[in-house]
Amino acid sequence: LDGTKEFTRGNLYAVTVLIGIAVDGVPLAGVIAQPFVREGEPLSIAQKVPGDNYLIDPLSLDFGRCRLLQGIAGEGLFCDGVLLETPQMRPTPLTVAVASVSYKAVQNITKRMKEKNLISNILEHPGAGFKFLQLITGEADAYFTMLPMNLWDSCAPEACLSALGGKTTDRYGSPIFYPSS
């Protein structure tokens, strides 16, 4: 379960279940489930009203519904059984998803990127799985964090993202290795 703190706060939109399979250190298959979605709610939250705190009233939930993304290397990414198309990359400036703008390092990097007109919009939402979802839906063009990320938070999303042709690297541009132990 990714987003346990958000679950306790009622920010259910950011809660995801992440299951990844890596072979020889490379993610090959991943599942991202969003267990708390409202009937008819779009995959992306971009269409929600600005300023909405995104808290979901538990009474509005359809507990029989779960948004399910399944990615398999070379096979593509499926959302609720439907093959997704690769989102089109926007020209710069980009929209980036970040872990937290409260960290000085993130503030410095995003400030420099804005000064160079590389980014136009910063999306700050909780949950690594949810931020990867923003990449998958095309709501964000990039996601970076200066915080250590647990491999269990990135294996499934990386498999799903790579099934769409995306790429995940460490801060030096090297592939992330997923050891068997």
Side-chain angles (χ1 to χ4, degrees):
L1 182 67
D2 183 48
T4 50
K5 188 186 311 179
E6 300 314 312
F7 178 82
T8 63
R9 292 178 177 167
N11 294 327
L12 300 180
Y13 76 94
V15 175
T16 55
V17 177
L18 307 172
I19 302 169
I21 299 172
V23 177
D24 296 328
V26 178
L28 296 181
V31 174
I32 302 174
Q34 262 188 309
F36 304 107
V37 293
R38 290 179 279 210
E39 186 63 40
E41 186 171 46
L43 180 59
S44 167
I45 64 162
Q47 298 169 357
K48 291 189 178 179
V49 178
D52 183 355
N53 64 8
Y54 305 111
L55 293 179
I56 296 175
D57 175 4
L59 297 177
S60 73
L61 293 172
D62 177 1
F63 286 100
R65 178 163 158 55
C66 172
R67 182 172 294 128
L68 186 67
L69 284 91
Q70 303 159 292
I72 301 171
E75 298 293 323
L77 181 66
F78 298 83
C79 179
D80 297 333
V82 177
L83 182 64
L84 295 179
E85 293 183 25
T86 303
Q88 295 300 311
M89 184 77 167
R90 290 184 285 263
T92 55
L94 303 175
T95 295
V96 297
V98 297
S100 176
V101 293
S102 64
Y103 292 97
K104 194 70 168 169
V106 173
Q107 290 173 358
N108 291 337
I109 289 171
T110 55
K111 180 182 176 201
R112 287 192 308 234
M113 292 175 77
K114 276 192 166 192
E115 288 170 353
K116 295 181 180 194
N117 202 32
L118 296 174
I119 61 173
S120 62
N121 193 18
I122 299 170
L123 304 174
E124 183 182 15
H125 291 285
F130 185 75
K131 286 185 278 290
F132 274 103
L133 254 165
Q134 291 179 304
L135 289 175
I136 290 166
T137 62
E139 186 175 343
D141 301 300
Y143 162 38
F144 71 89
T145 181
M146 300 305 290
L147 305 172
M149 184 179 288
N150 294 312
L151 294 177
W152 58 78
D153 284 340
S154 62
C155 185
E158 181 174 348
C160 290
L161 189 61
S162 65
L164 272 181
K167 184 177 179 182
T168 305
T169 68
D170 66 14
R171 67 180 69 187
Y172 305 105
S174 300
I176 298 171
F177 182 76
Y178 296 85
S180 60
S181 59

